[in-house]
Amino acid sequence: MQRENDLPDTIDISKRISEIGVVPVVLIDDSSKAVALTDALLEAGLPLVEITLRTRSAMDSIEEIARMRPEMLVGAGTVLFERDATRAVEAGAKFLVSPGIDPDMLKLAKKLKTQFIPGFMTPSELAAALKFGCQLAKFFPAEANGGPSMLASVCAPFLHTNIGFIPTGGINLENMMNWLRSPRIRAVGGSWIASRADIDGSDWAGITRKARVAVELANERSNGDRHAR
Ligand code: 3PG
């Protein structure tokens, strides 16, 4: 049954991520903190979170967020194995993110009718993402791999397509706007908004403060530009 705050079933996940413009990448060690974390992000106007499957608590956290805060767009990150993709979707993940690209995973995501955002560093990997109909791909690790100029060079032959990018890895408040200048970059991702230490220390006010600044910066560019080719 659809509840009042539920995301509509037909929500266009790519569009929503692009509208929001910032993806907090989260490592959480205690699922009993998942709702407080979510509330800290929602308080800042950031209804999006990627829970990486790198901790034992990740699946439970996704489940908790999906159940208790249906207005939050929750996804699973670091999805490396097909069984984890299936479990994450069953737990309530609305999108899946991976550091690399795996055709088997992309086929499975299609079957699960779930948006998959694969990682890429090279034109070949980006071409594979395109072949599987991905609307978004994660440029990872973004800063270590050469920064915005590297991404501009790698994606130049793909600009006649509609694929959009989410650079992640080494991005923070200081450098996020260097990335968001390009309309092809639909959002930036990173752990700086809600770090593992912040969550362990229950620093909800600190997370809200950082998330609010990130949202304000992301909002500085117009939605029109963000969706333009
Ligand atoms: C990820 O999983 O996307 C990255 O580990 C996040 O990178 P960051 O910690 O440098 O933001």
Side-chain angles (χ1 to χ4, degrees), residues 25 27 50 52 54 77-78 97 99 138 140 168-171 189-192:
V25 175
L27 274 98
E50 173 190 326
T52 66
R54 290 185 231 168
T78 322
V97 186
K138 164 176 166 165
F140 178 79
T168 308
I171 297 183
S191 61
W192 89 93

Side-chain angles (χ1 to χ4, degrees), residues 189-212:
S191 61
W192 89 93
I193 295 173
S195 72
R196 192 174 198 168
D198 289 341
I199 299 168
D200 283 349
S202 302
D203 183 8
W204 312 127
I207 290 171
T208 298
R209 204 165 43 245
K210 283 184 272 189
R212 192 168 278 139

Side-chain angles (χ1 to χ4, degrees), residues 104-125:
D104 289 338
M105 197 81 89
L106 287 165
K107 284 181 206 152
L108 173 64
K110 240 186 192 140
K111 227 161 72 188
L112 296 169
K113 295 189 171 48
T114 302
Q115 174 96 226
F116 198 94
I117 304 172
F120 76 98
M121 269 176 54
T122 66
S124 304
E125 291 159 350

Side-chain angles (χ1 to χ4, degrees), residues 73 126 149:
L73 179 53
L126 191 51
S149 65

Side-chain angles (χ1 to χ4, degrees), residues 69-98:
R69 296 291 183 268
E71 65 271 41
M72 190 65 162
L73 179 53
V74 59
T78 322
V79 183
L80 302 177
F81 306 105
E82 286 160 84
R83 63 170 185 276
D84 288 339
T86 307
R87 278 187 62 204
V89 171
E90 282 167 5
K94 303 288 188 303
F95 63 95
L96 304 170
V97 186
S98 160

